[in-house]
Amino acid sequence: MASCGEDKETSENQDSTTTEETNLPPIGNEDEATTQQQPNNQADVQAMNTPDNPITMPTKKLTDADLKKLANIVTQLQALNMQSQEMMMAAVQKQGMDPQRFLQIRQSMQNPEAAKDISADEKKKFEDSMNAIGAIQVEMRKKMEGALKKENVSMQEYQEMMMAIQTDQTAQQKLMQMTAPQTPPTPAK
């Protein structure tokens, strides 16, 4: 049978775990559907942030080594993002759709009335495009994880770094300088 001291310790451990989980806002995937939901999540978090129930964000202090890793990751992710955008556009075109029409249909899916105006052929092309885009997103997610692994950074560490950089202007400036395109110096005349 456990002593009172052990029960108290177990209870404290459970309380601290619960507090950690509830104090952090949800961090979404890079998927556009999730991105569209983020304002609601942020509003929910803001609504929960009251004087009686303050929400505390982790306050990781970024070191120069962290910033260097983050700069390398951000640079790689920017390149991956550009690559994925090109691949997605090509996938849509490969299905025989104009990218603008694809976006119109995607937006109209939010409105059942507007979705009625889509032909069966367009619906099929749209669905095929969405499947191709889904496969590209899976591939890009693996490449993103590879970029993190290359820098020996876990997804959680990356997310913590990204949250920390949002509150540290000095670190933001350093990161911007580290990720800015490097132009060669102009030769002296």
Side-chain angles (χ1 to χ4, degrees):
M1 185 163 154
S3 69
C4 291
E6 290 174 8
D7 288 342
K8 182 178 178 185
E9 182 178 332
T10 303
S11 175
E12 287 174 2
N13 287 343
Q14 289 172 348
D15 289 344
S16 68
T17 302
T18 304
T19 303
E20 287 174 19
E21 291 172 358
T22 58
N23 285 348
L24 293 177
I27 298 174
N29 192 339
E30 293 71 38
D31 187 346
E32 286 183 36
T34 305
T35 303
Q36 292 172 355
Q37 294 173 357
Q38 283 180 349
N40 293 338
N41 290 342
Q42 290 171 353
D44 292 343
V45 169
Q46 289 172 350
M48 292 185 301
N49 188 16
T50 64
D52 296 333
N53 184 28
I55 295 177
T56 56
M57 299 295 289
T59 55
K60 175 180 177 51
K61 182 71 175 161
L62 295 173
T63 65
D64 285 342
D66 289 336
L67 286 172
K68 183 173 172 121
K69 286 180 181 183
L70 191 55
N72 290 339
I73 292 168
V74 166
T75 301
Q76 290 176 49
L77 295 184
Q78 287 172 337
L80 286 174
N81 186 42
M82 288 178 58
Q83 180 185 8
S84 71
Q85 294 297 320
E86 291 170 4
M87 290 172 69
M88 287 183 221
M89 187 182 303
V92 168
Q93 291 171 333
K94 185 177 179 181
Q95 298 304 322
M97 287 200 82
D98 175 63
Q100 291 297 338
R101 180 63 181 146
F102 172 83
L103 292 173
Q104 289 171 346
I105 292 172
R106 186 168 182 181
Q107 289 176 339
S108 73
M109 293 303 210
Q110 305 290 328
N111 178 359
E113 286 299 315
K116 291 179 183 178
D117 296 334
I118 302 169
S119 71
D121 183 51
E122 282 185 318
K123 282 183 183 179
K124 171 81 170 107
K125 289 177 181 178
F126 178 80
E127 289 171 7
D128 291 345
S129 295
M130 288 299 292
N131 289 335
I133 287 170
I136 292 167
Q137 288 175 331
V138 168
E139 178 185 340
M140 288 299 137
R141 177 75 178 189
K142 288 178 184 174
K143 288 182 178 183
M144 176 190 170
E145 290 168 355
L148 296 177
K149 188 174 182 179
K150 183 178 175 182
E151 294 296 327
N152 295 317
V153 173
S154 71
M155 181 60 77
Q156 181 176 348
E157 290 170 317
Y158 170 71
Q159 290 170 342
E160 288 171 1
M161 287 179 182
M162 292 304 290
M163 284 192 294
I165 199 86
Q166 292 175 9
T167 59
D168 185 342
Q169 288 187 339
T170 303
Q172 285 176 15
Q173 290 173 346
K174 285 182 182 180
L175 182 64
M176 287 174 56
Q177 289 172 346
M178 296 168 95
T179 59
Q182 301 297 319
T183 56
T186 56
K189 293 184 179 180

